[in-house]
Amino acid sequence: MSYPPVVLPRLAVLARQAVPKLLEGVVAPLAVFYAALALLGEHGALITAVSWVYAGVGWRLVRRIPVPGTMVLAAIAITVRALLGFWSGSMKFFLLQPELGTICISMVFLASVRLNRPLVQKLTLDYIHLPSAVLKHERVRRFFARITLLWAFVLLTNSAVSIWLLVHQSVGTYLLVRTAAVAVITGLAVAVSVYAFRRVLHRLHHEPVPAALTAGPS
C-alpha cells in the first residue's frame, strides 16, 4: 500500500482561493494606509491601518472564522510599523518601516521552526487541505521546516537589498530597483517551493504506509 495521492489544485483554483485572502490581509491594509496618509497625515494613517487590520482579525475571531496566516503576518508587520512611526517622524524611518517589519516576520519564521511549528505549514493549510497522516509524516515535517527556513532567508535577503538601496541610492532608484529585485527573488523562491512540494508529495505517494497507519483498532 501507499499513501493516498495528494493532488495540488490547479493554479487557477489556487489563485481564486488565495487572491481574496491576499487582498484582505496584505493589499487592503496598504491601500487603507496610503489613502489615510493623503487625508490624515502620517499618524492618522498609522492609526487607521492598525485599526483596519485588527478589526479584521477581531471580526473573524468573533464569528469563529479561522484567521489566515497572511492576516497574522500583516498584523505583526503593521504593529511594528506603527510603533516605529510614532517613535520617530524621520522620513528614513518611514521608508525603513516595511523592511524592519519584514525582518521581524522573518524572525517569526525562524522561531516557528525552532518551536516545531513551521509557519509555512500554516500558510499552506490556508489554501490546501492535507490529511493528518500526511502532515505527521517525517518527510513532510522536514519539508515544511526547510521551506520555512528558506522563506525566512528570502525575507531577510529582500530586506537587506532594500535597506542597502535606500541608504546608497536615490528614492526613485530605490523604488524601481527594489521592486524588480524583490520580484525576482520572491519568484525564484515560489518556484523552488512549489517544485519541492510536488516532489515530496510524489515521493510520499509511492512510499509504503506504515503498519501503524493501516492497522485497525485492536
Side-chain angles (χ1 to χ4, degrees), residues 21-156:
K21 295 179 180 179
L22 290 174
L23 288 174
E24 181 183 24
V26 179
V27 178
L30 288 175
V32 168
F33 174 80
Y34 286 113
L37 181 63
L39 298 173
L40 305 174
E42 184 176 335
H43 285 179
L46 290 172
I47 294 172
T48 302
V50 171
S51 300
W52 174 275
V53 173
Y54 280 97
V57 173
W59 181 81
R60 284 178 171 273
L61 292 176
V62 169
R63 294 177 62 87
R64 297 183 178 181
I65 300 174
V67 180
T70 49
M71 184 174 285
V72 173
L73 295 179
I76 294 171
I78 201 67
T79 301
V80 173
R81 294 187 67 180
L83 291 175
L84 290 173
F86 284 118
W87 177 69
S88 172
S90 169
M91 185 63 178
K92 285 288 185 181
F93 271 94
F94 175 76
L95 293 173
L96 279 173
Q97 286 175 36
E99 312 311 332
L100 296 176
T102 300
I103 291 173
C104 290
I105 291 173
S106 71
M107 294 299 104
V108 173
F109 272 69
L110 291 173
S112 72
V113 176
R114 180 66 177 174
L115 296 172
N116 293 321
R117 301 184 67 179
L119 192 52
V120 168
Q121 178 173 321
K122 171 167 177 54
L123 296 176
T124 300
L125 294 178
D126 284 343
Y127 307 108
I128 302 173
H129 171 71
L130 294 175
S132 58
V134 172
L135 292 173
K136 292 178 182 178
H137 193 279
E138 184 61 27
R139 188 190 299 275
V140 176
R141 293 165 63 114
R142 287 199 306 268
F143 163 78
F144 280 120
R146 291 170 180 172
I147 292 298
T148 300
L149 287 175
L150 168 67
W151 277 98
F153 287 109
V154 166
L155 293 173
L156 283 174

Side-chain angles (χ1 to χ4, degrees), residues 157-170:
T157 301
N158 284 342
S159 295
V161 170
S162 300
I163 292 171
W164 185 90
L165 288 169
L166 180 60
V167 172
H168 293 90
Q169 304 295 329
S170 66

